[in-house]
Amino acid sequence: MPPGPRGFPLLGNALHIPAINPWLTFMEWGKQYGSDIIHLTAPGARIIVVNSIDVAVDLFDKRSTVYSDRPYLPMLCELVGLANWNIGFMSYGDHWRNIRRMFHRYLGPQEAKMLRPTTIRHTNNLLNKLLSQPEKFLDHVRTVPGEMILEVAYGIKVTGADDPWLRLAEEGNDSAIAAATPGRFLVDLLPFLKWVPAWVPGAGFKRLAMEWRQLNTDMYTLPYEMLEGSATSSVAQTMLSNVDVTDVPEYDEYLMKVRDSTRFITICTNNVNSCSSIIAVLKTFFLAMVIYPDAQELAHKELDSVLQGERLPDFHDMLSLPYTMALVKEVQRWHPVLPLGVARRTTQDDVYGDYLIPKGSMVLPNVWAMSRDTKDYPDDPDSFNPARFLGASGQLDPSVRDPDYAFGFGRRICAGRHMASDSIWIMMASILATFKISRRKEDVGVSLERYTSAFIV
Ligand code: HEM
């Protein structure tokens, strides 16, 4: 087995794994044991943590048939029921494969480009909100990605911060993040607890699970019902209209016949689920701009010289704005929003180098450790420094590791990454082109870093 701290009988390392920011401890253990791959145990679970990109690529990319399953967390998968319809938590197999293929068809690289006008419209909406109520910037950052993704997925036009669709999406997302945070619920460590009746004192998790199950069911049934007879263009509507196309594969026809198919709904609701990651990236961006005003200033200068104060940035400006692009990359590297990625599970025993990785192990990519690797980022990886991505000429240096590992690896790499990358670039570039972000007077000298320690921080 890979090295790791010695565990206690029965409990294993359960008491060693910190509840707060475990990725930091996993990274330290990697250094202490001199290994990019470490091994821990918890009751009923064997955990493998991958602390380097090279090992992640070897396992998740090159041995993807063994490492593409997801672990079974009773709270998330069974009690809340997310593994039934959320592709991100679904077991690896034909059902997942079919949905994944469709995801690619509607959100692949070319399809994501078609969504750019919508992204720009929502970005402009964000700018207007920031202009009229700058003090509520966190509310705007929280709502705009949800508005955008609800429109893309279902054609739903949100009417304001209290819009019921937006609230449903937010509450659904929050519950999914909470249920997906490993170690948050005892039932994930002691699965027999799932049989405890909801009325038993201490079984609050069961009542919570029932509430979240309903919320998540609403999330995939209600918007779908609204689509009936709607002419608004959206991923969902496009899929429905494809029914008449003669060359669509049999699978699509089946899908259209089974109107309430979870397969169909999965695509759209997952889009909505995923906006939490975009929100988290934007919050980190605001934080970095306050803490590192020099970086912000350099981006302002670059944007001013290209745009001449006459227009907002557009996607065709990407290549002319290397510093801004480097800043967007650095936001993703400096504080990865999914510090432990999304866990995998091995479907068979595997031998990697000298190590045995048994079937059924939970394998965690420690994205945080990867972002701090001094081989890739020799210059103080804890500090925010967009220039690390630039060469002497001021252009992007292709030899510097791109932080795209924040989107995962192999067959289960983020299915919405093209759209997500576009959205965060245009939003950050547009905000920088129009605003100066600085600390409130009353916050001078106060630490502003308040990250949660969850699945998505
Ligand atoms: C900056 C924003 C985002 C980040 C950092 C992010 C990151 C991730 C990561 C780390 C995974 C797990 C990959 C793995 O297991 O290796 C993932 C999965 C996924 N993401 Fe994203 N994501 C973002 C935005 C989005 C958006 C906007 C969408 C949809 C439009 C999306 C759709 C998905 C889906 C469907 C999966 C599950 C893939 C599977 O299990 O097969 N993501 N994402």
Side-chain angles (χ1 to χ4, degrees):
M1 300 294 300
R6 209 184 156 92
F8 296 111
L10 298 177
L11 288 175
N13 301 107
L15 302 177
H16 297 137
I17 301 175
I20 306 290
N21 301 344
W23 43 90
L24 299 179
T25 307
F26 295 159
M27 183 171 77
E28 286 316 310
W29 281 337
K31 287 182 193 155
Q32 190 180 326
Y33 294 100
S35 173
D36 286 345
I37 177 164
I38 57 167
H39 164 234
L40 308 160
T41 56
R46 202 176 272 294
I47 304 165
I48 305 289
V49 183
V50 173
N51 277 329
S52 80
I53 296 176
D54 290 345
V55 177
V57 168
D58 281 349
L59 303 186
F60 302 132
D61 285 5
K62 298 186 186 155
R63 300 179 185 201
S64 56
T65 45
V66 182
Y67 289 87
S68 294
D69 200 9
R70 297 282 190 211
Y72 177 79
L73 296 174
M75 182 70 177
L76 175 83
C77 301
E78 194 173 328
L79 298 179
V80 181
L82 281 178
N84 297 332
W85 58 268
N86 187 317
I87 183 181
F89 305 121
M90 217 169 254
S91 303
Y92 184 61
D94 286 345
H95 184 52
W96 167 83
R97 208 169 281 113
N98 284 331
I99 294 170
R100 180 81 202 199
R101 212 174 288 135
M102 290 168 66
F103 225 108
H104 189 74
R105 197 180 312 153
Y106 293 97
L107 279 172
Q110 291 315 318
E111 291 69 20
K113 283 200 178 116
M114 315 260 285
L115 296 173
R116 284 178 167 180
T118 311
T119 316
I120 290 182
R121 196 155 29 79
H122 285 276
T123 302
N124 294 346
N125 178 22
L126 173 62
L127 298 181
N128 277 321
K129 288 184 178 193
L130 289 171
L131 184 62
S132 58
Q133 292 179 304
E135 71 288 354
K136 291 198 173 165
F137 76 97
L138 277 178
D139 289 343
H140 308 322
V141 161
R142 204 169 43 85
T143 50
V144 170
E147 290 174 14
M148 178 177 77
I149 290 184
L150 277 167
E151 184 180 336
V152 168
Y154 294 109
I156 292 176
K157 298 261 185 354
V158 168
T159 51
D162 291 330
D163 186 281
W165 293 115
L166 195 58
R167 280 222 309 279
L168 180 62
E170 279 178 4
E171 287 171 15
N173 283 340
D174 290 349
S175 67
I177 292 174
T181 302
R184 168 101 189 250
F185 294 97
L186 196 58
V187 63
D188 291 336
L189 289 179
L190 307 171
F192 67 85
L193 289 177
K194 71 184 178 193
W195 303 112
V196 174
W199 51 264
V200 168
F205 71 97
K206 286 286 287 257
R207 295 187 288 279
L208 207 53
M210 274 150 59
E211 196 186 303
W212 288 352
R213 194 181 182 92
Q214 185 56 50
L215 202 59
N216 283 283
T217 309
D218 287 351
M219 214 169 138
Y220 70 83
T221 51
L222 298 185
Y224 177 64
E225 282 164 19
M226 204 204 65
L227 276 179
E228 302 268 17
S230 155
T232 324
S233 105
S234 64
V235 170
Q237 203 50 259
T238 311
M239 291 173 80
L240 278 175
S241 57
N242 273 355
V243 71
D244 290 327
V245 179
T246 43
D247 65 350
V248 288
E250 201 185 306
Y251 188 73
D252 275 21
E253 295 209 28
Y254 164 75
L255 214 58
M256 296 311 143
K257 283 182 198 139
V258 188
R259 299 291 306 255
D260 62 349
S261 163
T262 54
R263 289 169 183 167
F264 162 73
I265 287 312
T266 288
I267 307 286
C268 306
T269 39
N270 270 287
N271 289 349
V272 177
N273 263 164
S274 307
C275 67
S276 317
S277 327
I278 297 187
I279 296 171
V281 173
L282 289 177
K283 285 184 188 167
T284 290
F285 161 69
F286 274 94
L287 177 71
M289 292 305 91
V290 172
I291 303 181
Y292 295 94
D294 294 350
Q296 184 183 181
E297 189 51 38
L298 288 172
H300 281 157
K301 278 200 181 122
E302 183 182 73
L303 283 152
D304 285 348
S305 79
V306 171
L307 306 173
Q308 299 286 318
E310 284 170 4
R311 62 180 180 88
L312 288 168
D314 202 336
F315 287 100
H316 60 250
D317 296 313
M318 270 179 169
L319 292 177
S320 337
L321 295 167
Y323 189 85
T324 308
M325 180 58 95
L327 187 146
V328 175
K329 287 180 193 288
E330 183 67 343
V331 168
Q332 288 169 277
R333 185 207 65 85
W334 179 59
H335 213 117
V337 296
L338 286 116
L340 288 176
V342 184
R344 306 289 183 88
R345 177 170 64 173
T346 46
T347 47
Q348 63 189 65
D349 283 354
D350 187 35
V351 174
Y352 180 65
D354 291 338
Y355 301 134
L356 169 71
I357 298 174
K359 176 181 175 177
S361 302
M362 179 193 280
V363 189
L364 296 170
N366 190 352
V367 177
W368 187 276
M370 298 172 195
S371 74
R372 295 301 183 265
D373 193 330
T374 46
K375 285 201 293 303
D376 290 326
Y377 311 112
D379 232 5
D380 185 11
D382 282 331
S383 73
F384 183 88
N385 175 18
R388 71 174 82 247
F389 290 102
L390 300 175
S393 64
Q395 292 302 313
L396 286 170
D397 178 351
S399 70
V400 181
R401 174 86 74 178
D402 192 288
D404 55 4
Y405 48 83
F407 288 110
F409 300 90
R411 294 188 190 176
R412 299 211 72 156
I413 193 170
C414 175
R417 63 195 183 284
H418 307 293
M419 182 205 173
S421 297
D422 274 359
S423 311
I424 57 180
W425 183 84
I426 194 75
M427 287 187 183
M428 290 186 208
S430 303
I431 293 170
L432 286 167
T434 44
F435 293 95
K436 179 173 179 193
I437 304 164
S438 54
R439 204 177 270 262
R440 290 185 310 182
K441 285 197 188 79
E442 56 269 41
D443 284 338
V444 171
V446 175
S447 166
L448 299 176
E449 278 200 56
R450 281 177 223 122
Y451 280 95
T452 51
S453 177
F455 168 58
I456 299 182
V457 294

